[in-house]
Amino acid sequence: PITVTETSDTSDSLTESNPSSAVSTPIPTRQPVSPSSEAGLVLNSDTFVNLAQALDDSKGDIDSKLFLYLTPDYQWIPSSVYRYDDFFESVRIMASEGVAGKRLYIGEDVEDGHIFGLVNMAAFLAQSMKETIQYDACDENSWDLIGGKYPLSNACGQLGQSYQDY
């Protein structure tokens, strides 16, 4: 299980080196979904179950071979921003709940129909790689320069990132 570890002293640092002086707090889980609800029907469909299994079977490769970013030294290394667990949670939410009445296309209700959904995700990830993952950046990039610098107004505000670092 994922836990947040807090030190027993007054600092804001996290510790794993001295577990006896730390308190582990589980990260909250999501609300349960009724199997008979519209979201539950999607999540329990053969299409979603097969898609989820195919993605989960590739979890390690997704983190170590797909979610990579290019360092200033031209080395491709695993992203610190984009990780499989967050990606899959987003897939789960967008397939079952969506936003503004739109849902993630996960495939067809036919034999091997989830493969269509995987192709859809491959296209989405290719676009995401082009725009954000390769920079280990958020998705709200604005490259407007003012006086040769990127102004604070460009910042997406996610994960304490700085445009000056790109």
Side-chain angles (χ1 to χ4, degrees):
I2 300 172
T3 58
V4 175
T5 307
E6 301 173 7
T7 61
S8 59
D9 63 19
T10 57
S11 72
D12 291 330
S13 64
L14 298 178
T15 183
E16 290 182 10
S17 60
N18 188 357
S20 63
S21 68
V23 174
S24 293
T25 307
I27 293 176
T29 58
R30 61 182 169 267
Q31 291 282 347
V33 175
S34 168
S36 60
S37 69
E38 191 173 346
L41 293 174
V42 170
L43 296 175
N44 291 310
S45 70
D46 288 342
T47 304
F48 185 82
V49 169
N50 291 333
L51 179 128
Q53 185 62 54
L55 289 172
D56 201 48
D57 288 347
S58 299
K59 178 181 179 174
D61 286 340
I62 290 171
D63 274 339
S64 67
K65 296 178 183 176
L66 181 63
F67 290 160
L68 302 176
Y69 78 95
L70 187 61
T71 69
D73 296 328
Y74 298 101
Q75 301 295 313
W76 289 96
I77 64 172
S79 173
S80 62
V81 176
Y82 296 92
R83 306 302 299 159
Y84 173 83
D85 291 334
D86 298 321
F87 163 71
F88 185 75
E89 181 65 10
S90 298
V91 166
R92 190 192 75 74
I93 291 169
M94 289 305 299
S96 64
E97 300 171 28
V99 172
K102 306 287 185 191
R103 292 192 178 146
L104 176 68
Y105 174 72
I106 59 168
E108 300 293 322
D109 189 20
V110 297
E111 185 177 346
D112 293 328
H114 69 286
I115 293 172
F116 296 107
L118 291 171
V119 170
N120 183 50
M121 279 184 226
F124 170 76
L125 289 172
Q127 181 67 24
S128 298
M129 185 64 176
K130 173 71 174 128
E131 292 187 7
T132 62
I133 298 171
Q134 71 174 328
Y135 306 110
D136 213 26
C138 73
D139 63 348
E140 299 173 11
N141 291 332
S142 173
W143 300 106
D144 296 333
L145 286 172
I146 296 178
K149 298 245 181 214
Y150 299 111
L152 184 59
S153 60
N154 282 6
C156 67
Q158 296 177 8
L159 305 169
Q161 294 180 341
S162 165
Y163 278 83
Q164 308 309 322
D165 296 337
Y166 299 131

